[in-house]
Amino acid sequence: MSAIDFWLGRHRDTAAGLPGADLPWLVRLREDAIDRFADEGWPTTRRENWRHTSLAFMAQQALAVREAVAPETVVAALRARYQAARGAAQDAAQQGAKSAPQSAPGSAPELAPELAHNDGHWVVFVDGHFAPALSAIGGLPGGVRIGSLADALAQTPEKVEAAFGQAGDGEAPAALNAALAADGAWIRLARGSMVEAPIHLVFIAATAADQHLRNLVVADAGAQATIVEHYPAGAAGSTLTTAVTRVLAAQDSHVTHLKLQQEAPEAIHLATIEAEQARGAVFTSHSLSFGARLARNDIRTRLAGEGAEALLNGLYHADGRRHVDHHTRIDHARPQGTSREFYRGLLDGSARGVFTGRILVAQDAQRTDAMQRCDNLLLSRLAEADARPELEIYADDVKCAHGATVGQLDEDALFYLRSRGVDAVHARQLLTYAFAAEVLERIAHAPLRALGRAALLERLPEGARLEELL
Amino acid sequence: MLKINNLHAAIDGKDILKGLDLEVADGEVHAIMGPNGSGKSTLAQVLAGRETFTVTDGSVDWDGADLLALPAEERARAGLFLAFQYPVEIPGVSNAYFLKAAVNAVRRHRGLPEYDAMDFLSRVKAEMKAVGMKEEFLYRSVNEGFSGGEKKRNEVLQMALLEPRLAVLDETDSGLDIDALKIVAEGVNRLRSPERSMIVITHYQRLLDYIVPDKVHVLSQGRIVRSGGRELALELEEHGYGWIDAAQGGKAGGASVGARP
Ligand SMILES: Nc1ncnc2c1ncn2[C@@H]1O[C@H](COP(=O)(O)OP(=O)(O)OP(=O)(O)O)[C@@H](O)[C@H]1O
Ligand SMILES: [Mg+2]
């Protein structure tokens, strides 16, 4: 059972053995967090911010693994997929260079840096714990640390404390996470450092019915990195993942975060991504949500310094009776911030997609430039989508545009394709893919873009056939 | 040979085509003119297989086959091509991909080997040159942000690549400047051959200076009300459609071109 009492018991039984159990601030924080969770319980639709997603069923939901997976197999498959994507991106770049008129004949096309480097750093977690044997962290610039939160709590607890967050942060599942998380990634980027290759964080539910991850990213001034959270399909059965990722982006740092959620079809996935951006910091979030029975992502960023820039980009696909909810919030706290938010949803079967885009512009945040769009494609008559902007603007010199649509495939475009000999099934796929691919185009890193594309094609019926033609 | 017999078509319960007869022999080019809203595009769309129109009566025989029984994609593969009056924009699908998918679908059906990427590119680039389209249009989304004239050229490009047996051009000349008009007309004329038929829908007899039709028809209120040679187009240019309606009222159907007041 997953009733509140179950989780209170879990906290009671495990707290003393968690990493950092000797740190008074953390013990206290965990207690406050579990108290808060006990108090609030699983959110229902009566709760603000949960109007379209209820977790009330969790109280009766038994969590159990029906079939475990071997984590090494999952990691190997994921790395192979990434390698293939990198190869595809390289081929595309070479082809592009060849067909570009300006390239001199016979000259070797030059690869962009993101194509030339290795496969990046792989930090693997199994059932909520760091798995060093499955991880592969390459050479890093001075002052950069990539490792586990558990180790960091033992080695530099004061640094972790400054980044950990509070018991009151986020929604109830984030509080449960704060109380129970034993591990996660700890990434520290020293001032001015640049990690070229992506830092891949892989979270595998292998045998455990629940896993709780807390990832902390501290980017000092001017640092740059791309961090990928992978949630590949793990154990079959009703499983629960809670994840909280916090990004502290200091002045002029550039942090790109990509999340690829492909959990198993019965999984419950409850995640929070929270960023705090100092002056001139650039934060990009790509959320690709393709798996799980129920996936909820709370994505927030606070433009706490002048001239910060945020891009929240997302794509979700759900079919069957699955449910996917993105609840986003952009806080413009200081002047001259820019935010762009683009989400697209593909909903098939009797799936439901929810998007909420909250934008707050504080009185002090003059000359804010915010734009938000959410477009949904319903691929069946029973699918449903809710897309809602929520703007709260207290400054007067502000540009703020928003739009939301829910629609079907364009009949004129379908007919146009068919009138050229393309069969109806292929025409539908092609238009569906094209609709979704626009989101992927915003992923600047070519291999990651290719990985996202492969993951999308996997979700589409006959996607493999489409891939051949692209 | 295309034989349209007593064709009736409706949309949302509203009759648009009301007993249309037309025969186009192999190798012939027929022009159809007629007032706005008379049903020209409806005829074109019905021929191409658009299901939003319901055929309520009549038949279309195409070389012995029942054209109306085939879905749109099969008509295309069998060699029917419609150049749209309003070409559709498809964001996110590159023109190159679209053209290749179309050409290969048609080639597969005809038992020809599919083009690989290289062969396709050299073929398409040659055809683009002929219709005066820059290569960059290959990498843009289908018709998205194309000017009116660019869209029409893209239609002619598709026609050239698909090598249809029967091409229906719905106002492909509208919105073209005089140079573009010549290029489009050349594209059409290059395709003229004894086994290929064309139906050219236009409002301007100017086009027919470049694409010389074998026959000219006037479509009015869902029917062909007048047929003749090239000179019919000139008469229409000079006098508009009013005299045809008047003549129709007087001498139903039988009037010759010379019978106008
Ligand atoms: N989808 C539709 N719904 C309702 N009426 C329609 C629809 N499509 C066409 N019609 C009507 O059918 C009639 C014929 O339209 P059609 O487009 O065939 O005319 P046309 O001869 O091509 O005109 P134009 O010269 O302006 O292109 C018009 O009255 C038009 O309003
Ligand atoms: Mg028309």
Side-chain angles (χ1 to χ4, degrees), chain A residues 421, chain B residues 73-79 103-112 114:
Chain B
E73 54 268 41
E74 286 181 29
R75 298 184 199 190
R77 292 177 202 158
V103 170
N104 280 337
V106 168
R107 284 180 72 86
R108 215 176 301 136
H109 177 82
R110 296 182 190 161
L112 297 168
E114 291 181 32

Side-chain angles (χ1 to χ4, degrees), chain A residues 174-238:
Chain A
L176 182 65
N177 175 282
L180 299 183
D183 211 345
W186 167 252
I187 299 173
R188 251 191 76 84
L189 307 164
R191 169 181 275 271
S193 62
M194 167 149 166
V195 182
E196 292 242 12
I199 303 165
H200 298 273
L201 313 178
V202 185
F203 305 100
I204 302 167
T207 56
D210 60 306
Q211 57 174 353
H212 309 275
L213 286 316
R214 200 163 189 97
N215 306 305
L216 305 177
V217 179
V218 181
D220 286 350
Q224 295 193 24
T226 295
I227 295 148
V228 187
E229 282 186 50
H230 297 270
Y231 294 87
S238 302

